[in-house]
Amino acid sequence: METARMMVAAVLIVGTGLTLAVAQPEEARLGGVQRIDLLRNDLSISGREVIQVLVQFAPGVVAPRHSHPGEEIVYVVEGSLEYALESKPPVTLEAGDVLFIPKGTTHAVKNVGSGNAAELATYIVEKNKPLVVIK
């Protein structure tokens, strides 16, 4: 039994070390929005890559209208975020909600809650293009 516990502890320690070595987040902060790059990897589809970013929003902050050179899948981690996609009424998502944003769709995001908010954004995009295009 003690051996099993030691092995689990060793796996957790090694696993945590590997996670830290892989993640090495690159942070960017702009006007109350902080982006932490978690993953960037080529896909099996030529010329495409997946990028995963944790985006944190201070209370009341708006990420201005922008688009991406591919699809975005949003998972709200914390708080309440309002998404305004072109040609659609705004939708408010809470922690645990998800949203699919098609390639090239102009959209804006606002923290409509009283506290901090965050999303996990996963992009499936064309390589060598700017990830965010401000409109």
Side-chain angles (χ1 to χ4, degrees):
M1 187 69 155
E2 186 63 31
T3 303
R5 276 192 233 157
M6 294 297 284
M7 289 182 69
V8 168
V11 167
L12 289 174
I13 291 169
V14 170
T16 302
L18 290 175
T19 300
L20 293 175
V22 171
Q24 295 296 320
E26 179 181 318
E27 298 183 14
R29 185 183 296 267
L30 178 63
V33 176
Q34 181 177 10
R35 298 176 57 86
I36 302 170
D37 292 346
L38 302 173
L39 172 80
R40 179 176 285 233
N41 205 74
D42 290 345
L43 293 174
S44 59
I45 302 166
S46 179
R48 307 285 280 181
E49 65 182 340
V50 62
I51 300 171
Q52 198 164 54
V53 178
L54 179 64
V55 186
Q56 299 171 321
F57 300 83
V61 168
V62 177
R65 291 170 31 89
H66 63 280
S67 66
H68 307 285
E71 290 75 18
E72 178 181 7
I73 299 105
V74 172
Y75 173 79
V76 178
V77 176
E78 171 185 17
S80 300
L81 293 168
E82 180 184 83
Y83 295 83
L85 279 65
E86 66 183 359
S87 306
K88 293 189 178 182
V91 60
T92 300
L93 302 181
E94 305 289 335
D97 291 339
V98 295
L99 178 68
F100 179 81
I101 302 173
K103 176 182 179 178
T105 300
T106 299
H107 58 285
V109 184
K110 180 179 182 180
N111 179 351
V112 294
S114 58
N116 292 326
E119 69 176 25
L120 180 63
T122 303
Y123 306 96
I124 300 170
V125 294
E126 296 177 51
K127 290 182 69 167
N128 303 318
K129 289 199 172 184
L131 181 59
V132 178
V133 178
I134 304 296
K135 300 291 179 156

